[in-house]
Amino acid sequence: TPAGLGRSQISSSVTAGTNSVDLAPEQAQNSSEYVVVYVASSLVEQTTPVALAISDSSSSVLAVNFTDKDLDLGELGGDIYWEPSPDAAEVAEHVVYLAAGADGSTRSLIGNVTAGTDEIHLSPDYPQGIYAHVVVYARSLLVEQTTPVSLFI
């Protein structure tokens, strides 16, 4: 709450004159809706904190499309397209992989493209091997998202 009820401390106390604290990427939000800051002296902590509403968003792509244009069995090639997220303000790039699982497990990098580019080329004769999915992750300046959008190939 803005009043700091049910709070949990995310950083150790900082010295006077410090006006910023870094949150680790992928910090669990849980049910928190605000970041609150208290001023404290050696005697007492302020009773009413300053509060800032947390703004969090998901920037996953909406759909992934790929048609294999390679004519050889067990080999892939062609263009991979995706529909960008409508909330992509924090997206710096998209990272595209072939993966064994829809969750991005056991993956091989196809490449990275800057935000605003919604396709990447997979060169012909790429061995499919164990890969059954194309997965696309959004990446901010801080971190790659943990859950990709996938397409079964």
Side-chain angles (χ1 to χ4, degrees), residues 118-130:
D118 303 323
E119 67 179 273
I120 193 167
H121 183 72
L122 178 63
S123 296
D125 302 323
Y126 195 100
Q128 183 170 1
I130 61 168

Side-chain angles (χ1 to χ4, degrees), residues 57-62 84-91 94 137-139 145:
S57 61
S58 174
S59 296
S60 296
V61 299
L62 300 181
S85 168
D87 187 10
E90 299 300 322
V91 176
H94 289 98
Y137 292 83
R139 182 170 178 77
Q145 74 183 141

Side-chain angles (χ1 to χ4, degrees), residues 54-118:
I54 295 172
S55 173
D56 191 19
S57 61
S58 174
S59 296
S60 296
V61 299
L62 300 181
V64 179
N65 296 294
F66 170 68
T67 301
D68 183 17
K69 303 274 183 165
D70 190 298
L71 301 176
D72 296 321
L73 184 63
E75 294 180 350
L76 302 171
D79 293 323
I80 300 165
Y81 300 91
W82 54 91
E83 197 173 320
S85 168
D87 187 10
E90 299 300 322
V91 176
E93 64 181 359
H94 289 98
V95 188
V96 184
Y97 300 91
L98 288 177
D103 62 353
S105 58
T106 313
R107 62 191 185 189
S108 176
L109 179 67
I110 295 171
N112 306 29
V113 295
T114 57
T117 301
D118 303 323

Side-chain angles (χ1 to χ4, degrees), residues 7-13:
R7 66 186 181 178
S8 65
Q9 191 167 340
I10 58 172
S11 175
S12 58
S13 297

Side-chain angles (χ1 to χ4, degrees), residues 25-63:
E26 305 300 322
Q27 174 77 39
Q29 185 178 348
N30 300 322
S31 61
S32 302
E33 296 178 26
Y34 296 88
V35 172
V36 294
V37 178
Y38 291 84
V39 174
S41 71
S42 60
L43 299 175
V44 68
E45 180 180 87
Q46 151 186 27
T47 56
T48 305
V50 173
L52 175 67
I54 295 172
S55 173
D56 191 19
S57 61
S58 174
S59 296
S60 296
V61 299
L62 300 181

